[in-house]
Amino acid sequence: GEELQKKDEDESKIEEIDDNGEVKESKPVADDTLGISDFWFIAMSNEDTVAGTIEECDNEILSHLVDVRCKTTSEPNGFVLTFEFSENEFFTNKELTKAYETKLDDKDGEQLLYKAHGCKIEWKDGKNVTCKIVKKKQSSKSGKGTRVVEKTVPKKSFFGFFEPPFAEDEDLT
């Protein structure tokens, strides 16, 4: 028979339907079992453009991605991408967003991406995958001895998508 997921007001159920459309079997399921496990991670990994931005360090984090939504905006013209995550060990945000402003191209009337606004990811201690600490030996200014200097440098990660590369919002024109 055919299986359908049906959401009642107070509980979720999986119902098995017979060939006549009658409910053969109905069993409740916990909310956390609805959907396809790792759906968004798998979908993003199979889209060439996005897959090229996903690094190994992103895989475990993206397994917590439960929804991706796009909402158009009129003030300013554009759209907002919202990535919703389940609770995880990497950051405290429930949602990460990237907003895009568009403007009309005078030549052909097409909408062009104009600006992008990322969000701040609230990384938990030691879990930021967008940067790494590099230790360098450096000669002291007096020329006597060396010291170790730690420097934080950017690291490739899908999550760099949310943090604009400049102090100001990214201008795409």
Side-chain angles (χ1 to χ4, degrees):
E2 182 182 333
E3 282 197 19
L4 298 176
Q5 283 189 0
K6 186 175 172 183
K7 202 164 183 136
D8 280 348
E9 289 178 32
D10 54 350
E11 78 173 11
S12 297
K13 295 180 183 177
I14 291 181
E15 295 182 341
E16 189 173 337
I17 310 296
D18 66 17
D19 296 334
N20 299 322
E22 301 292 322
V23 176
K24 219 161 78 171
E25 185 181 354
S26 177
K27 45 189 172 183
V29 289
D31 279 341
D32 63 353
T33 62
L34 292 178
I36 299 170
S37 179
D38 293 335
F39 172 81
W40 285 107
F41 171 61
I42 293 166
M44 290 168 53
S45 296
N46 284 301
E47 199 289 314
D48 291 342
T49 305
V50 178
T53 67
I54 297 172
E55 301 294 326
E56 190 157 332
C57 61
D58 301 322
N59 294 350
E60 187 178 350
I61 305 171
L62 287 171
S63 72
H64 292 278
L65 181 59
V66 295
D67 198 14
V68 178
R69 296 181 300 279
C70 181
K71 180 181 176 192
T72 57
T73 58
S74 56
E75 285 297 320
N77 277 343
F79 58 95
V80 177
L81 296 175
T82 302
F83 294 73
E84 182 183 340
F85 289 84
S86 60
E87 192 171 317
N88 62 76
E89 65 185 85
F90 299 95
F91 48 78
T92 58
N93 311 60
K94 176 132 174 77
E95 296 181 339
L96 301 179
T97 60
K98 181 105 179 212
Y100 291 91
E101 289 182 40
T102 59
K103 66 179 182 180
L104 211 53
D105 183 351
D106 296 335
K107 295 175 189 160
D108 60 15
E110 292 289 318
Q111 288 289 328
L112 299 176
L113 290 180
Y114 171 59
K115 282 188 175 181
H117 312 273
C119 70
K120 180 170 178 25
I121 300 176
E122 301 295 336
W123 294 102
K124 294 181 180 177
D125 285 346
K127 297 295 184 174
N128 187 341
V129 297
T130 65
C131 63
K132 61 183 175 185
I133 296 174
V134 176
K135 295 179 182 185
K136 283 186 170 181
K137 281 189 179 182
Q138 190 177 63
S139 298
S140 66
K141 290 179 181 168
S142 65
K144 298 175 185 170
T146 59
R147 62 183 180 143
V148 175
V149 178
E150 286 187 356
K151 184 179 177 183
T152 302
V153 297
K155 181 177 147 193
K156 286 182 81 174
S157 165
F158 169 78
F159 292 91
F161 170 78
F162 296 99
E163 298 174 2
F166 311 109
E168 295 298 315
D169 289 332
E170 182 180 0
D171 192 332
L172 300 172
T173 55

